[in-house]
Amino acid sequence: MLLKGKQATDFARKPKPSVWAVLAFGEDPGLASDAARALIQAWTPKGTSMDVTTLDDDSIRKDPSLLFDGLEAVSLLGDPRVIRVRTSGDKIAALLTEAIQKGDSRDGYYAARLVIEAGSLQKRSKLRAAAESAQNTACLQLFADDAGDIEQRVQAALKAEGVQITDDALAVFVGDLPGHRTLANSEIEKLSLYARGLERPVEVDDIRALSATDVDHNLSAAIRAALDGNPALVHNALDRLAVAGTSGISILRSLQFETLRMLDAQSRIAAGQSNPGMKLRPPVWQSEWGLFSARLRKWPTKRLMRVMERIYEAEQQAKSGSGSADPVIRVLMNEIARAAELAK
């Protein structure tokens, strides 16, 4: 059973009772993580706690029994159980497919429920195909928030604190949010904590003050500097991120998201849209379009695809090495900055 977009999000909040397993996937892993949390909350009966076991590709490949024994085991305390699997693609697709097919063979085959979080999955993905075809497994395809969705999330978070936000402040805050859902959630949480007890609407000056030393702004600065062709600024921003303890994989994820956004823009321009900024995720505001379009001229589609390839290569190199990922990230960001510097 395949559900997309809002239907998928709504299902995660209120899953069908007969569904025992869910595959949540999308280009932004943070979306799948949010869906998994919503599912676990929905599956947890009132007055009880959920016993959650989290597994990843490496742990399951090394010991597949962790997956199957975990699904079959019954909690000693009688609490409901969920096996939460985070996978980067089809590395363990055969094992997960086997689990889905067995669990769908009859009601109550496993004692625990299963939720699988994945990144982007193509239609030909074996894991996706298994989840789509299974009768009692839901396949949730999640899409990045548009500006309206993000604004609603910000307003809802502030409303819970009894605080409003001015329209200008909301536009500034949403425009500066990182595209990655997990990072965006963190920023919204920070804003909510800041607004607690403020006893007046949040204004533009509040947003600027809150963001003045923000790690995510250093992250955005590093990405922009690389794509604009400014190696010195890249290394300065990376130094600040290193001091803050930002992981190399987080930098790669942000670079990947911005590259995908630029590819989306190039595709829209090729289709005849002269200024598609507001249709991108997150949107490029009119005041920012000049700089963004100049960046696009440096990075045509073919070069952006090469950047995507280098991101995947750097991630594999960073994960396979025993030392710090920092040198790998610095080399990649410097290469991108030098290429943009030479671009006409």
Side-chain angles (χ1 to χ4, degrees):
M1 173 173 55
L2 175 63
L3 298 171
K4 298 182 179 182
K6 187 177 185 303
Q7 283 187 321
T9 303
D10 290 344
F11 183 94
R13 297 192 185 104
K14 192 175 181 180
K16 189 177 178 181
S18 61
V19 169
W20 76 277
V22 173
L23 166 65
F25 72 97
E27 291 181 353
D28 180 351
L31 295 168
S33 180
D34 276 3
R37 281 195 293 269
L39 283 161
I40 292 170
Q41 182 176 355
W43 281 336
T44 305
K46 290 183 179 179
T48 64
S49 60
M50 182 68 77
D51 182 355
V52 181
T53 300
T54 302
L55 304 172
D56 59 16
D57 286 334
D58 291 338
S59 60
I60 292 175
R61 278 197 297 182
K62 290 177 182 176
D63 187 0
S65 66
L66 290 175
L67 172 63
F68 295 99
D69 290 351
L71 288 169
E72 293 170 359
V74 176
S75 171
L76 295 176
L77 299 177
D79 293 331
R81 302 186 61 254
V82 169
I83 303 300
R84 184 175 182 178
V85 177
R86 291 173 175 150
T87 180
S88 58
D90 275 344
K91 293 179 179 178
I92 55 172
L95 294 169
L96 292 174
T97 297
E98 181 183 349
I100 289 171
Q101 290 173 344
K102 285 183 176 179
D104 255 48
S105 63
R106 62 176 172 82
D107 186 40
Y109 185 93
Y110 289 123
R113 295 182 186 270
L114 172 66
V115 58
I116 305 166
E117 302 170 37
S120 181
L121 295 176
Q122 301 297 321
K123 288 185 178 180
R124 62 177 180 272
S125 161
K126 295 178 181 178
L127 176 57
R128 177 174 170 177
E132 286 186 24
S133 60
Q135 184 175 358
N136 294 317
T137 297
C139 187
L140 308 184
Q141 185 172 9
L142 303 157
F143 302 113
D145 299 313
D146 60 27
D149 293 332
I150 298 173
E151 287 179 356
Q152 289 178 8
R153 289 173 52 217
V154 173
Q155 289 171 324
L158 292 177
K159 184 178 180 180
E161 300 296 339
V163 178
Q164 294 182 330
I165 183 170
T166 66
D167 291 342
D168 289 344
L170 181 61
V172 171
F173 182 74
V174 171
D176 284 344
L177 277 180
H180 192 287
R181 169 65 81 90
T182 303
L183 295 177
N185 284 347
S186 175
E187 290 306 297
I188 293 172
E189 182 178 357
K190 282 189 224 174
L191 179 63
S192 298
L193 292 172
Y194 173 87
R196 186 174 296 173
L198 193 60
E199 298 183 353
R200 62 170 174 79
V202 176
E203 299 177 350
V204 172
D205 287 344
D206 296 310
I207 301 301
R208 288 174 176 163
L210 184 64
S211 303
T213 58
D214 195 351
V215 169
D216 295 319
H217 279 263
N218 289 330
L219 188 52
S220 297
I223 303 302
R224 287 195 300 267
L227 294 169
D228 286 341
N230 196 324
L233 286 181
V234 169
H235 289 287
N236 286 337
L238 290 177
D239 287 342
R240 293 193 294 272
L241 290 169
V243 170
T246 307
S247 73
I249 299 301
S250 293
I251 297 173
L252 284 179
R253 287 284 179 267
S254 294
L255 176 60
Q256 180 185 44
F257 188 90
E258 183 61 19
T259 305
L260 288 170
R261 186 168 73 144
M262 292 174 70
L263 280 168
D264 186 17
Q266 294 287 22
S267 176
R268 292 176 183 275
I269 291 172
Q273 299 179 29
S274 60
N275 187 345
M278 295 306 295
K279 295 181 180 179
L280 301 177
R281 298 173 176 172
V284 177
W285 305 101
Q286 188 63 40
S287 61
E288 302 170 339
W289 179 251
L291 291 173
F292 188 79
S293 58
R295 196 173 300 138
L296 289 175
R297 288 192 291 273
K298 290 177 177 286
W299 295 98
T301 299
K302 186 175 181 179
R303 297 187 77 200
L304 288 172
M305 293 303 297
R306 178 54 185 153
V307 172
M308 289 297 295
E309 292 174 3
R310 289 288 292 113
I311 290 171
Y312 294 136
E313 292 168 2
E315 181 172 357
Q316 291 300 315
Q317 190 176 353
K319 288 182 176 180
S320 63
S322 57
S324 170
D326 182 70
V328 176
I329 308 306
R330 284 184 180 269
V331 168
L332 173 60
M333 295 286 278
N334 187 68
E335 285 180 3
I336 293 172
R338 293 298 182 190
E341 189 178 30
L342 296 174
K344 294 182 180 179

